[in-house]
Structures are given as structure tokens and as C-alpha cells.
Amino acid sequence: MTKYLIRRLIQAIPVVIGITIVTYAVMLSAPGGPVERFANNPKITLAQKEAFKKSWGLDQPIPIQYGRWVGLLNPDGQGLGQFLGPTGWPNILPTGISGATNGVLHGDLGFSLDSGESVARRIGNAALPTLILAGTALLLWISAAIVLGVLAAVKRYSFFDQAATVFSYIGFAMPTFWLGIMLILIFGVSLKWLPISGMVNARLSPAFGTDNYWVYFGQNPIPAILDIAQHLVMPVITLVVVNIAGDSRFVRASMLEALSQDYVRTARAKGLPGRTVTFRHALRNALLPVVTNIGLEIPFLFSGALVTESIFSWPGIGRLTIESIRVFDYTILMGVFLISSLLVVLANLLADVLYAVVDPRIKY
Amino acid sequence: MTEVISADAPRGAPPERDILLDVRNLKTYFKVLDGVVPAVDGVSFSLRRGQTLGIVGESGSGKSVTAMTIMRLLDIPPAQIDPASEVWFDGREILGLPMDQMRRIRGNEMAMIFQEPLTSLNPVFTVGDQIAEQVALHKKVGKKAAWDRAIESLTLVGIPNPERRVKQYPHEMSGGMRQRVMIAMALSCEPKLLIADEPTTALDVTIQAQILELLKTIQQRTDSALVLITHDLGVVAEMVDNVIVMYTGEVVEQGTVEEVLVEPRAPYTMGLLESIPSVEKRGGRLSAIKGVVPSPFNLPPACRFEPRCPYHWERCRTVPPELYLSGPSGRRARCHLHTPEGAGRWPAALEAHRRALATGRELPVHDATPGDA
Amino acid sequence: MSATVDHGLAAPKIKGALRQRPPRGILRARAILYGILALVLVTVGLLLVVSVLFRVKGGVDLLVEIWPAYIVAALAYIAPRGYRDRKLWAFGLSLVIGFVLVVGAVVMSYLALVPGAMGGTAAGSAAPGASGAAASGAAASGAAATGAVATAAPAGSAAAASPLASGATGAATTASGTIDGNLAFGLITLALLFLAFGVPLLWGLIRERSFFLAAETRHPIKTAQEIEAETGGFAEITPVSASGSGDTAPALGLPSPVAIATGAVDPLVSVRGLKKHFPILGGILRRRVGTIYAVDGVDFDVYPGEVFSVVGESGCGKTTLGRTLLQLTPPTDGHVVFDGYELADVDPDDMRPLRRRMQIIFQDPFGSLNPRMPVSDIIGEGLLAQGVTNRKERDKRTGDALEVVGLRRDYSRRYPHEFSGGQRQRIGVARALALSPDFIVCDEPVSALDVSIQSQVLNLLLDLKRDFNLTYLFISHNLSVVEYFSDRIAVMYLGKIVEIGTVDELYRNPRHPYTVALLSAIPIADPRRRRSRLVLKGDVPSPAAPPSGCRFHTRCWLRERLGNPEICATEDPALRPMTGDAHHRAACHFAEQISESAVAETVETQDVVETAAAVE
């Protein structure tokens, strides 16, 4: 197992390098460029644009730009000296040795072109709301999908099974934006039961994530949590309804397959009650592929849901992404893409490892 | 997954005490899209305590469904058991038992061994878990005692190092070992009846020999009755006392193993025996039963073997044969040759059979009749 | 590998060898050359599309600019033509291409790394060769990247190198004379790409130069056409009238033992020292951590007209033997001589006329027929591969084959699921038979069938053998079928033959303890002959770790009876002739100790419950 992990991690290195190159290349080849953000601003002259480019280092050759972004090159160095950090050690080494602080390798994702804040900080601020929203939704839809799928399989072709199928497909077919807007119209605008946007009530508490907010949170934890929970209801419902279909169908198929296996027949022949047969013998086997599937859904916890977050103005990664696209904030987009891709790589590894843990037949 | 509901039809009287299993006119149908498949169509037999019975037939003959019906393992629907069918086990009629009572019999007084030992064991539990689970359920003992019992049963079936093996998963064992585990599991509650459905078909010859000898030894030692389901006449000849031969859901012949295999009375049994390759037939052709098993949706109107039978005459197409007495000891065969009308034809048929056994029978070269008419 | 002496079989007579498959280095060189060709073509295509679609100025000029790439591509197309015939010119041409690539890489690295090498005029017009090479390579590397969008960097450098470069990336050279970083980057990338193609190409060619330089073998090398001409092409099969069989005794075509002994009959198939090992991969680097010795040194002859059977339990290597013999998987070592032609390691293209004459019937009638193909295609595929391109002709032959196996002609339009198991197996037979083979490997053809259907198929196989003069290698685990069906038998255990002989000898007078146990294990359908069996202990050991010495010694009843002599565990017994019959061979140190009383006594003392306890 350890050997397998080491092998997989070694295999991941070229993948990660490839991801950084592709991320960079995609950004580079996107039409426009960072200075396009001034395209509609007649006051900015061509010379000023060139000056902006120069100050952002965009006048440098592409490999050098990439090297600086990754952290291989020291932006303050000259010639071959660029490879060396402030302390004289190669720039690529950890900050403690080389003294270098620039580049992805040293945890520096650059500065937002729009606000000038550090990218890491912007992403960090948006990550917690997304984790809360996506985590709640993921937890709910996976548990609901397992329950629905198993029951539908056990009572195959029953009314419940048919109903679950219909419900799944309706949810599957419903566009997210339409469902979200309908929820807002009904429960937010007409009935006024639930807040329609944001994460916290702006009249009662400071904006989420600010230092003031945490002070407020420390003083009134229970109202603060309830406030967030209220805001969570509608986006979570949207996400669960839309996503439950695929997973519950998957669980149902997997459970049906397990129920038709010979060992289930053996379990019944042993005289075990139907409950034990279903939930001990069949379910355990049916969940093996489901575990893998869940592992692959983990990156969602970071990347979030673009449309849902935008509709409900949820201050998470999804909304950050959409806004950054609108204002040509290349550095933030690159940061988000990079982290999401890394998470996908890790999630794949995690899924494989999980599978080996739950299935005694798999040995690496 | 609804289980069978108790049938309201009046039940006959229980059989005599010595008879452990009495199956009376068992009919199991499957309702499928294309129609109704009569998988088991009026099967009756009885088995005394400690005896062995062989059920022989080719694929599609209904032998496995018979066993599954007795164990009540079939899903109803699609399966459907005729309400008039009765299965008496140890003095009780079990087709009408409520499911929770049936479960107390299953695995406890009546146990089953399946064909494919790899898929029949749950891959995610250790073999010890799987045996102990059954013991704890039926014998109401603690975890420790059940585990000890599991080790004991593994020892009984000759698995070396049972203390270590008990903690292994099925995939860590060889095919023969797994079948031993299945047998150990079946024996763990000391059942009165053991049903073995093709227990050696998936195994190699030398391992098959091991398992058959083991079944024989254990059956003698524990004095349980054994129903052995197989397509292999050789296995039947070496293992059982009585035998029934099945074809398209019906019993076509029954008797002691010596009677049925040495002097068969039904043309189907005769054909099966003739088609076994043997050294005497070298250089000649094997006699084959021509054609294929008829589709269950399109069975011949009277005798179901008639289209493939070398001895058929017009009566076989009009009158469905019953299981006629065909010998002094109460043996029976489903063939008109054993009625007064057919008695005249019997000596010739017997002669043809003897010749075919000795030399192989010459049949037309291309004896495959197309599967569809 | 030289033929070992101890197998005791005569060296096969060899009419000719076939052209050998080129060694791996040469195959790789060929792949690289085709890769270069493909890359240039794709690049040109992309450039064309881009310049037409987006009206990019200078796109067409760039196409002209990269003319050296076209020359290289043309050479890369021409050179492999001469590989199969080991032409020296092909070798030379490939070397030239390799050198051009490597030299080009060096030149470009020099231009990119040494300041001023390109001179102040580089932006305007560089030396045609260098800039051309750079441009072609740039385009090539562009194609190699994931897609058009991801190629901004190298494409930019190409634009810079071309005289028509617009100002997108600024001037190609700076005032100081050092070239632009992007151009340098592009050049270096190109140089690396050139090296990645050029170095392995040269390395493979130079390492395997003997393939071109010394083209002699011991036997004359024949081409497919020559063999086809010699064997008289491939005949149609004609259905035999159904009534024709009568009581003509099916001729068992086995030549008399005398004829075999004096060498009057040449074997149809000779197998010498055949080995097939499969690697077990593991560890961090997926290195080979073990070996499965599936077939481990097997020698035998199959004579024309006989049924030669191979029996053994699962895992003994009998199926692998059949497939390796037919070269469906390349053997690890050893020779197979079919009708005088050496088969091992031949070029697959030259196998065609011989492959037609050697067919196989598979075990599983459900898995071995493609469910989405009608029967006409299943059977016709082989015919098509043998050059029967006329649809009508193919349909006729397909129909003939179906009729010969007792199915109706018009079944050819149906799909496999419409047939029963026995009928499918007949289709499998028809597929093999349509090619009018001489030799058929029957890999457990009746194991999946019911008894009554099994005998139909066995009868069919015997009829066909007689009508078409076939020779069978019959692989089975069913000893009753084998006894009825075959002339000679080889018993395999863990990749080796432990006993070989005629049916009569082997069944009446088995000389290997494993054969004795196998025979004893057959259940006999006669209750009057009910008897105790000789039951072997334990399971077959893993073929990845076969026991030392005699492979059977861990389960051997005879060894136990003789007090576990040391020699069994240390020395691998040779397959030696038994007294009385030179063709009956057994690989046991104590073959002479086997007697009926020994068997009977062993049966009496064995304990079935202990039989699981072999060496674990």
C-alpha cells in the first residue's frame, strides 16, 4: 500500500507540472489579455497599457513569465542569476532555504488585477462559504441518494421505485438557474419565508469573512449560525434536487447488481432475515463503487457551483470565478483553476485508496 | 422480493415419520414477458432420513429450480408456486409456512451448497464471519462460541490451519478450498438435509474427487440426508442411492441408482447413457440424442421427448405419458413403452439400446436438427 | 535455443523459414519515421486550415518556408519500405534522417543560446536552412501540443522567425543583438523535439544494424507468395452428401507405429522446447517481480491425420500451449515447425498462408462469437483476411461451411444469440473450416455443452476429420472424452508434459503417479463399478512458484509411499521412454514402482478429510 501510494504520488508529479503549463497556456491563448480590462476606458492610452504590461512583467518572454509564476525564476535576478533566490540558493527551493517568496511553489498566487489584493487571500475568503454550501449539499444529496437508491432497488418496480425514478429525472432535467429563480420567487419574494441572497443578513451582521464578522460571531454565535442556515436553505435545495438524480440512479443500479449476486442467495439460504441480507450482505458490496464515486465528487467542495452561487449571491468560489471572468482578472482565475485541478488529482488518488480500504480484494 | 404467501388450499396428511422430505406434485412457473415457463411441472419424490437422492438433468430441465423451490429461495414474482403443490419436511408442510418460520429451518435444518464457490461467498467478509453469522443466528450462541464452531467446521471439512484460514477472505483461497468452506458453512448447524446443486461442476477433476469423497464421508458421519443435483451421470453413480431424471420440468424416470443407470427404462435416460463417450465406442460414432431441448414456450403437445425420441409412434404425439410403473421394485418411467399399448415395442427398443451402448449407434451424419422448426 | 537432446524426438525436417519479424529497435525506428511523417502532415493541414479560415497573412508563405520538412517527411515515408526486405538503402536513408534531425537540433540550440549567432539581420532573413528548419519544427511542435490554443508560445516563435512576422510579440531581436526570449524558447523546444525523434531512431538503427548487415539464416527464407504457391492455394470446401457416411469405419488416420518409428511419416507439427512465460509486474516502478511459467519447455510431434490430445487441470498451461503453438501469443522460447516451416518469431504478414491452414475452435460458445456480427461476417472475416474479397464468393463459401457443419445455409444472416450452445459451437467449427485448414486446435470444444449436445459435436468433429483429412490438437480436461476421441495423449502438469503415449498405453498402463490419480478421479456412470478413488492431496501449486525438482512431488502419493525420497524434490525427472514402448514416455524417477497393488493400498490408507493438506 505504501509502495502504491509512493508510486501514485510520483506519477502525479508530471501531471501537476502539466497542469501548471496548461493553465498558463490556456490563459495566454485566451483572446484579449490582462490589459483588455481597459479596452472600454478611453482615457487609457496605448503607452499606458504598455506601462501596465511592463509593471506586471508581461513584456518578458513567455517562458520567463511562466517561470516567475511557478516560482522557478526570481523576478529580481538577471541572466542566469534569475534561477537563484535572494539567499543565493536556487529559487525553486522552499522559502526557508532560498528566501524566494514568488510563485505558486512558494504559495504565492500573485495579486488580483482588479482589487490588488493577494489572490490567495481572495480565494481563501471565498473558500469557506463554498465549503459550507457545497459540503452541506454534498452530504445531503449523497445520503439521500443512498437511501433512495437502496430503497428503490429493494422495492424494485414498486410505486416507490417508479416515483423515485420520476422525481430523479425531473430534478435531472431542471435547469439550475430556473429552479433557483423559482425558489427565490416563491419562498423569497412571494412568501418572504427565506432571504433571497447572500450568506448573512447585512442589516444585522458585518459582511462574512471580515474581522468584524468574527468578532460578531464570537459574541452571538447562535444567531449567527441560524442566520447562515437560513440563507443556506434555498441554494442547498437547488443543488440537492439537481444532483440527486445521477447518484441515486447509480446507487440503485449498483444495489440491484449486488442483490442479484450468488452470495445474496447464499445469505438467504443460510436463513438470515431479509433485513440482514439486504443491509449487511448486499449493501456493503453495493457501496464499493459508490465510495469511488463520492471520492471523485470531493473537488466540488472547493470549486463550488458557478450558477447556484451566482443566483443566490453566495460569496463563494463559484461567484468569484464568474466575477473574475467578467473583469478579466487573470491571476485569480489561474489560481482557481490550478487549485481545482490539483484537487481533482488528489481526489482520484483518494478514491483509489478508499477503494482498497473498503474492498479486501484490492491489494496494491 | 415478496416472499411466498401461505396457500389456503387444504393440505394432505403428513408422510410417515421416516420420510424426511416429501415433495408432492410440485409446480413452479415463471411469468416472463414472452409467456409462462413451466420450470418445474409436477415433480414428486420422497427421501428417507440419512439417504441420498440424485436429481439428474441437462440445463433447463428444472433441477435447480426444484431445489430452490424447496428452499423457498425464489423471488415471487416472477416465480409462482402452484397452490396445490406440497413439500413436507420433517413432518411439516413448508411451502405454506410463514417466512420467519421458514427462515428458522433454512440454514439450520436444511442447508444448500451451490455450484460456483467463488461467487457464492461474500467477497467482503472473512469466511469465519460468514460461518459464525449462521451459527449465531440459529444456535443462539455468543460471538466467541460461534467463531469456535466455525473453526470446528473448517476442521471437519479438512481445511488445514483452520485458525488461520478462518480469518481469510474467499478470494485468498483456491476453488477447492472455497467449496470446502461452503460445505463447512452448510454443515455448521448440523442440518438434517443437505442440498448440493452441482457442487463439483466448477472444479478440476482431482479436486472434484476430493470434494465428492468428502461429501460421502461427512454424510456418513453426520447421518444427514443428501440431495445431489448434477448433470454428470458419473457423479450420480458414485454418490447416491436413488435417482430421478428430469427433462423439461418433468420427472421422466425414477428408481434406485442401479436400476436407472444399469437398466434405464425411459428413452431419454437411455439416450443420455448411450451418448457418454467411452473407450468401447472408439472408432465408432457416439450415439447422440438428436435435436435440441424444446423451447419452454413451445413444448410438444403430448410427450415432451417425442421429437427427439428414436422409439416414438403416433400415440406419443397424442396422449401425454404418465410415470408408469416399469419394474417390480416400484421404479417408474414416463414412457408409453411401459403401458400395455407399447409393451410390444419394448424388446426392440431395449435391443437397440444395448447395441448402442456397446458400439455406438450409427445415425445420419448430420443429425443436428435446426433449433427452430 | 538449441534443441535439447533429452526429448528423444528426431529433429524436424525444415523446408524453409519465414521472414523474421524485425527486432524491436527496428520496429521502433519504423514507428518514429511514420511519426515524423504524420506530424508534418498534421502540421501542414492545420496551417492550411488556419490560414484559410482566419485569413492569416503569411500562412501560405510559411507553408513554403518549411520546405525542408517536406523532404524529411518524404524520406521518412520511403525508408521503411525497404525494412521488411532488409535493404541497405533503407538503412542508410534512415541514418541520414536521424543525422539531419540531430544536426538540426544542434544548429538550433547554437542559434538560440549563443548571443549574436543569428546576427543583426536575423529578423529580416536568416539563413534559409536554419530558418526553414526552425519554421518546420515550430509547426511540428505546434501540432504536437494539445491543441491550437495551447500552442501560442511556439507558434509565436515561428511567426518571429518568418520574415513576415507582425508585431505581435515585438521585434525578433533586441538592439543588443541577443535574440528574443520567445524565439529562443521556441528554438530550444524544437531542438529537444528533434532530439527526441532523432536519438532513439539512430540508437535503434545502430544497435540492430546486424539486421540489415547480416541477413543470412540457416534455412532459405520464403515469402507468403512462395508458400502459397507450394501448398497449392486455398481450396473450397464441398459439402459431403449427408447419406455418404453409411457404415464406413471412420478412418483414424494415425500412421502405423512402425512408420513413425522409422521416420517414414513426417510430423505435421513439431514442437521443441516451447516456453511461454508471463511477467508479473509490481513494485513502485512496475518492474517484473515474478514470472508465471505457463508453458515451460514442451516437446512433442503431431502426425498428420491423428488426434493428439493434451489433458490437464486448469492452470496446467494447456490452453496457453494451444495459443502459443498457433503464434496467437508469441512464445518466450522454443520452436514450432508446421509442415516444415519454422513459425517462431516470423513476420505476421508472412504467416497468412500458414495461418489459414492452422485454425482454432474455442471453448466458450457464448463468449467467442461477436454478438453484434451476423454469422456471415463471423465466418466471412477469415475469408476476407485470406483475400476472398468478392462478396458473392464469400457468401458461397460461408454457406458451404454452414452446410458442412449441419446448419442451414440461410442461417448466415442471423446473429449468435439466436442459436443454442450446440449450434454456436457448430458455427465456431464452420468459421475454422471455411478456410479449409489442415490442422485445428480444439480448445475444450465440448466442455460448455450438455451431454447429449456434446456427443453431437464430437461426432461432427470426427466426420469432418475424415472428410477433410484434418489433424486435431484436442485440449480437454475431460478424460472420458479424450479416451474416446484421441489417438495419442499428453498429460500436462504445471507447464510440463509428465506423460505421453497412445491412448491404450496411457489408460491401461499409466506410468506417472499424476496420470494414475487423474484416471482414478473420473466418475464412471456405472454404479456396478463404484469404487474408492485415489484422491490427491491439496491443490495445483501456483505456476508462478512451481515446486523444485519434480513439480508433482508436493502432491505425489507414490513419493509418500516410497518414504519421500530426496531426489523428487531436487531433480527434475526427464521425460524418458518406458520399457515396452518407445513412444510411451513418463517423467517420473520411480515410474517402474507403479503397480495396481500399490494403487490399491494407497487408496485404502488415504484419509479424505486430510486431502486438503498439501504443502501450502
Side-chain angles (χ1 to χ4, degrees), chain A residues 169-188:
Chain A
Y169 283 121
I170 290 177
F172 194 65
M174 205 161 353
T176 318
F177 62 87
W178 184 83
L179 178 63
I181 290 171
M182 283 300 131
L183 287 176
I184 289 177
L185 273 180
I186 296 169
F187 297 103

PDB file of all heavy atoms in Angstrom, chain A residues 169-188:
ATOM      1  N   TYR A 169     -35.589  12.132 -12.500  1.00  0.00           N
ATOM      2  CA  TYR A 169     -35.436  12.670 -13.840  1.00  0.00           C
ATOM      3  C   TYR A 169     -35.927  14.106 -13.930  1.00  0.00           C
ATOM      4  O   TYR A 169     -35.357  14.916 -14.658  1.00  0.00           O
ATOM      5  CB  TYR A 169     -36.143  11.780 -14.865  1.00  0.00           C
ATOM      6  CG  TYR A 169     -35.320  10.560 -15.152  1.00  0.00           C
ATOM      7  CD1 TYR A 169     -35.791   9.284 -14.949  1.00  0.00           C
ATOM      8  CD2 TYR A 169     -34.001  10.714 -15.576  1.00  0.00           C
ATOM      9  CE1 TYR A 169     -34.994   8.183 -15.182  1.00  0.00           C
ATOM     10  CE2 TYR A 169     -33.198   9.626 -15.814  1.00  0.00           C
ATOM     11  CZ  TYR A 169     -33.705   8.352 -15.616  1.00  0.00           C
ATOM     12  OH  TYR A 169     -32.904   7.280 -15.842  1.00  0.00           O
ATOM     13  N   ILE A 170     -36.968  14.422 -13.155  1.00  0.00           N
ATOM     14  CA  ILE A 170     -37.417  15.814 -13.145  1.00  0.00           C
ATOM     15  C   ILE A 170     -36.280  16.704 -12.641  1.00  0.00           C
ATOM     16  O   ILE A 170     -35.934  17.720 -13.242  1.00  0.00           O
ATOM     17  CB  ILE A 170     -38.671  15.966 -12.263  1.00  0.00           C
ATOM     18  CG1 ILE A 170     -39.859  15.294 -12.952  1.00  0.00           C
ATOM     19  CG2 ILE A 170     -38.971  17.440 -12.024  1.00  0.00           C
ATOM     20  CD1 ILE A 170     -41.127  15.325 -12.137  1.00  0.00           C
ATOM     21  N   GLY A 171     -35.676  16.289 -11.546  1.00  0.00           N
ATOM     22  CA  GLY A 171     -34.577  17.076 -10.981  1.00  0.00           C
ATOM     23  C   GLY A 171     -33.424  17.186 -11.960  1.00  0.00           C
ATOM     24  O   GLY A 171     -32.817  18.236 -12.138  1.00  0.00           O
ATOM     25  N   PHE A 172     -33.168  16.059 -12.638  1.00  0.00           N
ATOM     26  CA  PHE A 172     -32.054  15.999 -13.564  1.00  0.00           C
ATOM     27  C   PHE A 172     -32.275  16.950 -14.735  1.00  0.00           C
ATOM     28  O   PHE A 172     -31.356  17.572 -15.243  1.00  0.00           O
ATOM     29  CB  PHE A 172     -31.942  14.555 -14.053  1.00  0.00           C
ATOM     30  CG  PHE A 172     -30.662  14.255 -14.745  1.00  0.00           C
ATOM     31  CD1 PHE A 172     -29.470  14.298 -14.036  1.00  0.00           C
ATOM     32  CD2 PHE A 172     -30.635  13.909 -16.080  1.00  0.00           C
ATOM     33  CE1 PHE A 172     -28.284  14.007 -14.664  1.00  0.00           C
ATOM     34  CE2 PHE A 172     -29.454  13.618 -16.706  1.00  0.00           C
ATOM     35  CZ  PHE A 172     -28.274  13.676 -15.995  1.00  0.00           C
ATOM     36  N   ALA A 173     -33.541  17.046 -15.145  1.00  0.00           N
ATOM     37  CA  ALA A 173     -33.850  17.812 -16.346  1.00  0.00           C
ATOM     38  C   ALA A 173     -34.019  19.301 -16.057  1.00  0.00           C
ATOM     39  O   ALA A 173     -33.995  20.116 -16.962  1.00  0.00           O
ATOM     40  CB  ALA A 173     -35.123  17.266 -16.989  1.00  0.00           C
ATOM     41  N   MET A 174     -34.194  19.637 -14.786  1.00  0.00           N
ATOM     42  CA  MET A 174     -34.497  21.025 -14.461  1.00  0.00           C
ATOM     43  C   MET A 174     -33.229  21.883 -14.520  1.00  0.00           C
ATOM     44  O   MET A 174     -32.226  21.545 -13.918  1.00  0.00           O
ATOM     45  CB  MET A 174     -35.077  21.084 -13.053  1.00  0.00           C
ATOM     46  CG  MET A 174     -35.928  22.273 -12.873  1.00  0.00           C
ATOM     47  SD  MET A 174     -37.071  22.180 -11.503  1.00  0.00           S
ATOM     48  CE  MET A 174     -37.011  20.603 -10.832  1.00  0.00           C
ATOM     49  N   PRO A 175     -33.261  22.995 -15.251  1.00  0.00           N
ATOM     50  CA  PRO A 175     -32.083  23.860 -15.265  1.00  0.00           C
ATOM     51  C   PRO A 175     -31.881  24.502 -13.895  1.00  0.00           C
ATOM     52  O   PRO A 175     -32.848  24.922 -13.248  1.00  0.00           O
ATOM     53  CB  PRO A 175     -32.420  24.923 -16.308  1.00  0.00           C
ATOM     54  CG  PRO A 175     -33.650  24.452 -16.996  1.00  0.00           C
ATOM     55  CD  PRO A 175     -34.340  23.514 -16.080  1.00  0.00           C
ATOM     56  N   THR A 176     -30.624  24.588 -13.475  1.00  0.00           N
ATOM     57  CA  THR A 176     -30.328  25.128 -12.155  1.00  0.00           C
ATOM     58  C   THR A 176     -30.852  26.557 -12.003  1.00  0.00           C
ATOM     59  O   THR A 176     -31.469  26.894 -10.988  1.00  0.00           O
ATOM     60  CB  THR A 176     -28.806  25.149 -11.942  1.00  0.00           C
ATOM     61  OG1 THR A 176     -28.280  23.938 -12.432  1.00  0.00           O
ATOM     62  CG2 THR A 176     -28.455  25.310 -10.494  1.00  0.00           C
ATOM     63  N   PHE A 177     -30.588  27.377 -13.039  1.00  0.00           N
ATOM     64  CA  PHE A 177     -30.957  28.794 -12.886  1.00  0.00           C
ATOM     65  C   PHE A 177     -32.464  28.954 -12.757  1.00  0.00           C
ATOM     66  O   PHE A 177     -32.946  29.745 -11.970  1.00  0.00           O
ATOM     67  CB  PHE A 177     -30.421  29.624 -14.062  1.00  0.00           C
ATOM     68  CG  PHE A 177     -30.966  29.235 -15.393  1.00  0.00           C
ATOM     69  CD1 PHE A 177     -32.149  29.788 -15.845  1.00  0.00           C
ATOM     70  CD2 PHE A 177     -30.303  28.322 -16.201  1.00  0.00           C
ATOM     71  CE1 PHE A 177     -32.665  29.451 -17.073  1.00  0.00           C
ATOM     72  CE2 PHE A 177     -30.823  27.968 -17.429  1.00  0.00           C
ATOM     73  CZ  PHE A 177     -32.006  28.524 -17.873  1.00  0.00           C
ATOM     74  N   TRP A 178     -33.204  28.124 -13.487  1.00  0.00           N
ATOM     75  CA  TRP A 178     -34.666  28.215 -13.428  1.00  0.00           C
ATOM     76  C   TRP A 178     -35.157  27.805 -12.046  1.00  0.00           C
ATOM     77  O   TRP A 178     -35.948  28.504 -11.415  1.00  0.00           O
ATOM     78  CB  TRP A 178     -35.255  27.305 -14.504  1.00  0.00           C
ATOM     79  CG  TRP A 178     -36.743  27.394 -14.609  1.00  0.00           C
ATOM     80  CD1 TRP A 178     -37.460  28.325 -15.287  1.00  0.00           C
ATOM     81  CD2 TRP A 178     -37.690  26.537 -13.970  1.00  0.00           C
ATOM     82  NE1 TRP A 178     -38.793  28.107 -15.126  1.00  0.00           N
ATOM     83  CE2 TRP A 178     -38.980  27.011 -14.315  1.00  0.00           C
ATOM     84  CE3 TRP A 178     -37.597  25.423 -13.133  1.00  0.00           C
ATOM     85  CZ2 TRP A 178     -40.146  26.413 -13.871  1.00  0.00           C
ATOM     86  CZ3 TRP A 178     -38.751  24.825 -12.688  1.00  0.00           C
ATOM     87  CH2 TRP A 178     -40.017  25.305 -13.053  1.00  0.00           C
ATOM     88  N   LEU A 179     -34.651  26.680 -11.560  1.00  0.00           N
ATOM     89  CA  LEU A 179     -35.081  26.213 -10.240  1.00  0.00           C
ATOM     90  C   LEU A 179     -34.750  27.254  -9.178  1.00  0.00           C
ATOM     91  O   LEU A 179     -35.577  27.583  -8.311  1.00  0.00           O
ATOM     92  CB  LEU A 179     -34.389  24.887  -9.924  1.00  0.00           C
ATOM     93  CG  LEU A 179     -34.705  24.292  -8.559  1.00  0.00           C
ATOM     94  CD1 LEU A 179     -36.173  23.949  -8.440  1.00  0.00           C
ATOM     95  CD2 LEU A 179     -33.861  23.048  -8.308  1.00  0.00           C
ATOM     96  N   GLY A 180     -33.517  27.781  -9.258  1.00  0.00           N
ATOM     97  CA  GLY A 180     -33.099  28.772  -8.254  1.00  0.00           C
ATOM     98  C   GLY A 180     -33.996  29.990  -8.277  1.00  0.00           C
ATOM     99  O   GLY A 180     -34.490  30.453  -7.224  1.00  0.00           O
ATOM    100  N   ILE A 181     -34.281  30.500  -9.474  1.00  0.00           N
ATOM    101  CA  ILE A 181     -35.113  31.708  -9.570  1.00  0.00           C
ATOM    102  C   ILE A 181     -36.530  31.430  -9.093  1.00  0.00           C
ATOM    103  O   ILE A 181     -37.139  32.233  -8.396  1.00  0.00           O
ATOM    104  CB  ILE A 181     -35.090  32.224 -11.022  1.00  0.00           C
ATOM    105  CG1 ILE A 181     -33.689  32.785 -11.304  1.00  0.00           C
ATOM    106  CG2 ILE A 181     -36.129  33.304 -11.225  1.00  0.00           C
ATOM    107  CD1 ILE A 181     -33.442  33.129 -12.733  1.00  0.00           C
ATOM    108  N   MET A 182     -37.049  30.232  -9.435  1.00  0.00           N
ATOM    109  CA  MET A 182     -38.396  29.873  -8.960  1.00  0.00           C
ATOM    110  C   MET A 182     -38.444  29.834  -7.439  1.00  0.00           C
ATOM    111  O   MET A 182     -39.382  30.334  -6.811  1.00  0.00           O
ATOM    112  CB  MET A 182     -38.789  28.497  -9.516  1.00  0.00           C
ATOM    113  CG  MET A 182     -39.208  28.525 -10.963  1.00  0.00           C
ATOM    114  SD  MET A 182     -40.626  29.591 -11.190  1.00  0.00           S
ATOM    115  CE  MET A 182     -40.085  30.563 -12.570  1.00  0.00           C
ATOM    116  N   LEU A 183     -37.404  29.259  -6.843  1.00  0.00           N
ATOM    117  CA  LEU A 183     -37.373  29.193  -5.378  1.00  0.00           C
ATOM    118  C   LEU A 183     -37.367  30.601  -4.799  1.00  0.00           C
ATOM    119  O   LEU A 183     -38.089  30.908  -3.835  1.00  0.00           O
ATOM    120  CB  LEU A 183     -36.137  28.418  -4.902  1.00  0.00           C
ATOM    121  CG  LEU A 183     -36.179  26.907  -5.102  1.00  0.00           C
ATOM    122  CD1 LEU A 183     -34.871  26.279  -4.672  1.00  0.00           C
ATOM    123  CD2 LEU A 183     -37.332  26.295  -4.318  1.00  0.00           C
ATOM    124  N   ILE A 184     -36.536  31.456  -5.398  1.00  0.00           N
ATOM    125  CA  ILE A 184     -36.458  32.834  -4.904  1.00  0.00           C
ATOM    126  C   ILE A 184     -37.822  33.510  -5.024  1.00  0.00           C
ATOM    127  O   ILE A 184     -38.322  34.133  -4.081  1.00  0.00           O
ATOM    128  CB  ILE A 184     -35.398  33.624  -5.702  1.00  0.00           C
ATOM    129  CG1 ILE A 184     -34.006  33.128  -5.334  1.00  0.00           C
ATOM    130  CG2 ILE A 184     -35.519  35.119  -5.427  1.00  0.00           C
ATOM    131  CD1 ILE A 184     -32.896  33.777  -6.119  1.00  0.00           C
ATOM    132  N   LEU A 185     -38.471  33.305  -6.202  1.00  0.00           N
ATOM    133  CA  LEU A 185     -39.771  33.931  -6.418  1.00  0.00           C
ATOM    134  C   LEU A 185     -40.791  33.465  -5.403  1.00  0.00           C
ATOM    135  O   LEU A 185     -41.519  34.263  -4.816  1.00  0.00           O
ATOM    136  CB  LEU A 185     -40.261  33.595  -7.827  1.00  0.00           C
ATOM    137  CG  LEU A 185     -39.792  34.528  -8.942  1.00  0.00           C
ATOM    138  CD1 LEU A 185     -40.339  34.072 -10.273  1.00  0.00           C
ATOM    139  CD2 LEU A 185     -40.230  35.956  -8.624  1.00  0.00           C
ATOM    140  N   ILE A 186     -40.811  32.139  -5.175  1.00  0.00           N
ATOM    141  CA  ILE A 186     -41.866  31.604  -4.305  1.00  0.00           C
ATOM    142  C   ILE A 186     -41.563  31.876  -2.834  1.00  0.00           C
ATOM    143  O   ILE A 186     -42.330  32.535  -2.132  1.00  0.00           O
ATOM    144  CB  ILE A 186     -42.039  30.099  -4.560  1.00  0.00           C
ATOM    145  CG1 ILE A 186     -42.528  29.888  -6.007  1.00  0.00           C
ATOM    146  CG2 ILE A 186     -43.041  29.509  -3.584  1.00  0.00           C
ATOM    147  CD1 ILE A 186     -42.476  28.459  -6.459  1.00  0.00           C
ATOM    148  N   PHE A 187     -40.401  31.379  -2.399  1.00  0.00           N
ATOM    149  CA  PHE A 187     -40.142  31.437  -0.948  1.00  0.00           C
ATOM    150  C   PHE A 187     -39.542  32.758  -0.507  1.00  0.00           C
ATOM    151  O   PHE A 187     -39.658  33.142   0.651  1.00  0.00           O
ATOM    152  CB  PHE A 187     -39.219  30.284  -0.538  1.00  0.00           C
ATOM    153  CG  PHE A 187     -39.838  28.946  -0.765  1.00  0.00           C
ATOM    154  CD1 PHE A 187     -39.473  28.180  -1.839  1.00  0.00           C
ATOM    155  CD2 PHE A 187     -40.821  28.469   0.099  1.00  0.00           C
ATOM    156  CE1 PHE A 187     -40.048  26.955  -2.076  1.00  0.00           C
ATOM    157  CE2 PHE A 187     -41.411  27.247  -0.129  1.00  0.00           C
ATOM    158  CZ  PHE A 187     -41.025  26.485  -1.211  1.00  0.00           C
ATOM    159  N   GLY A 188     -38.868  33.433  -1.418  1.00  0.00           N
ATOM    160  CA  GLY A 188     -38.249  34.704  -1.038  1.00  0.00           C
ATOM    161  C   GLY A 188     -39.151  35.889  -1.285  1.00  0.00           C
ATOM    162  O   GLY A 188     -39.486  36.642  -0.369  1.00  0.00           O
TER     163      GLY A 188
END
